[in-house]
Amino acid sequence: MRYSTRTRYGLRFLINLAGRPAGACVQLAEIAREEGVSVKYLEQIVRVLRPAGILRSARGAKGGYALAKSPDAIRMDEVFERLEGHISPVECLHGAKSCEREGVCPTRWFWRELDDHMRMFLKGMTLARFVERERALKTEKGTFPVDMDGPACFHALHRTPPEGGGNA
């Protein structure tokens, strides 16, 4: 299963904001520079997250964007649903329409369980947990991997060595 670039960049954007002092407003250009994402792309993400009550904005010289609530109140199920739309692994689990094979499908139970596990995992994961992990990694290694999409980041977050035993 693959999640969109918008979700991956949106998560990096939120982690960046969450790692700053509470309530600190940051301009998109600064985050774009730090995360290697265009301002236009971040604007698209803001247009989705701001109305959801995840982000707030302030105008003026010290304006920009900040989290609208504390990182421990921002759950990943909320973020993923906003950025991805629906997150079910198969279309037949999403929406009111059911598949004509629903009653006889030999795999529906599997997809339902996978969907339930994913949703429970995302519901239990908050933005604060990412910040805690990032701080722990910085303390242990001195830096945090910049490539949030790459295997080094995955292995660093899960504390398992990458294939070949190299350093994450």
Side-chain angles (χ1 to χ4, degrees):
M1 204 172 330
R2 291 184 67 107
Y3 290 102
S4 68
T5 302
R6 183 163 82 167
T7 297
R8 293 191 319 267
Y9 289 177
L11 190 52
R12 286 171 41 192
F13 173 58
L14 292 174
I15 293 167
N16 188 306
L17 288 176
R20 296 171 185 270
C25 285
V26 186
Q27 294 185 351
L28 288 183
E30 182 178 339
I31 293 176
R33 197 172 37 257
E34 292 173 5
E35 297 298 329
V37 178
S38 75
V39 171
K40 289 227 180 267
Y41 209 98
L42 290 178
E43 287 170 349
Q44 292 175 26
I45 292 167
V46 165
R47 278 194 292 273
V48 173
L49 297 178
R50 199 168 135 247
I54 296 171
L55 294 177
R56 67 176 180 81
S57 62
R59 294 179 183 252
K62 296 195 183 225
Y65 292 91
L67 297 176
K69 46 191 174 180
S70 72
D72 61 343
I74 299 174
R75 294 188 338 244
M76 289 302 106
D77 63 326
E78 175 184 16
V79 171
F80 276 58
E81 286 278 351
R82 291 295 178 162
L83 293 171
E84 281 295 320
H86 69 86
I87 59 171
S88 296
V90 290
E91 190 65 33
C92 67
L93 296 178
H94 175 71
K97 264 189 166 177
S98 63
C99 172
E100 72 259 3
R101 296 187 43 83
E102 182 176 352
V104 295
C105 180
T107 61
R108 186 168 170 83
W109 68 270
F110 170 79
W111 298 121
R112 169 59 62 205
E113 285 189 30
L114 179 60
D115 188 57
D116 290 345
H117 286 291
M118 282 185 351
R119 289 176 188 281
M120 285 176 46
F121 176 78
L122 292 172
K123 190 173 187 173
M125 182 68 64
T126 65
L127 189 55
R129 185 134 175 238
F130 284 91
V131 175
E132 292 164 9
R133 298 287 298 254
E134 182 177 357
R135 286 186 181 138
L137 286 170
K138 281 182 178 177
T139 302
E140 287 176 17
K141 298 185 180 199
T143 61
F144 189 72
V146 174
D147 181 9
M148 290 293 290
D149 295 326
C153 179
F154 173 84
H155 293 296
L157 290 173
H158 295 282
R159 297 178 190 254
T160 58
E163 289 182 30
N167 291 332

